Amino acid sequence: MSLAEAHILLVEDDPLVSEHLRAVLRHAGAHVTALSSLQQLDAFDPVSTDLAVLDVSLGDGEIGDHLAALDAAGVSLLFHTGTDDIRAIMQSHPAARILAKPSREDELLAVCQDLMAARP
């Protein structure tokens, strides 16, 4: 499954990581919206979003309690994180995938493509 025309939300608070991931996803054909805080995520309307690539620990807190709008919109979730223990989030989001940081570009794209292919 291609990422061409996919609408991807990227939530990452490290500017260098965010810019790199945004470039990788855009190069694969995706439309990318990048956010860097929970405050921005809470204000974001995910209505046209297909997939979210999410860092679990942001500068203003943990993402776990801020996923309701994404869940309601049916957004596929990829937790791209260096955090070791995200069992609680995964119990609440069993269809989500996890990719440990740092990841290779081809791994990131493969997981994103898998999640897009599994969308209804």
Side-chain angles (χ1 to χ4, degrees), residues 50-62:
D50 300 307
L51 169 65
V53 178
L54 308 162
D55 188 0
V56 173
S57 295
L58 300 172
D60 56 348
E62 300 288 313

Side-chain angles (χ1 to χ4, degrees), residues 4 6 11 16 23 29 32-33 35 38 40 42 62 71 82 90-91 95 97 114:
V11 181
L16 294 175
V32 181
T33 300
L35 307 177
L38 296 175
Q40 290 174 332
D42 290 341
E62 300 288 313
D71 290 338
M90 289 308 296
Q91 288 175 344
R97 299 279 301 271
D114 288 348

Side-chain angles (χ1 to χ4, degrees), residues 31-106:
H31 301 281
V32 181
T33 300
L35 307 177
S36 61
S37 71
L38 296 175
Q39 182 178 6
Q40 290 174 332
L41 178 60
D42 290 341
F44 179 74
D45 181 0
V47 69
S48 65
T49 304
D50 300 307
L51 169 65
V53 178
L54 308 162
D55 188 0
V56 173
S57 295
L58 300 172
D60 56 348
E62 300 288 313
I63 205 162
D65 293 333
H66 300 267
L67 301 174
L70 298 177
D71 290 338
V75 176
S76 298
L77 304 177
L78 167 57
F79 297 110
H80 186 248
T81 184
T83 303
D84 291 334
D85 186 9
I86 65 168
R87 287 181 293 217
I89 291 176
M90 289 308 296
Q91 288 175 344
S92 300
H93 300 87
R97 299 279 301 271
I98 303 170
L99 187 59
K101 286 183 190 176
S103 64
R104 293 189 338 247
E105 294 173 8
D106 60 332

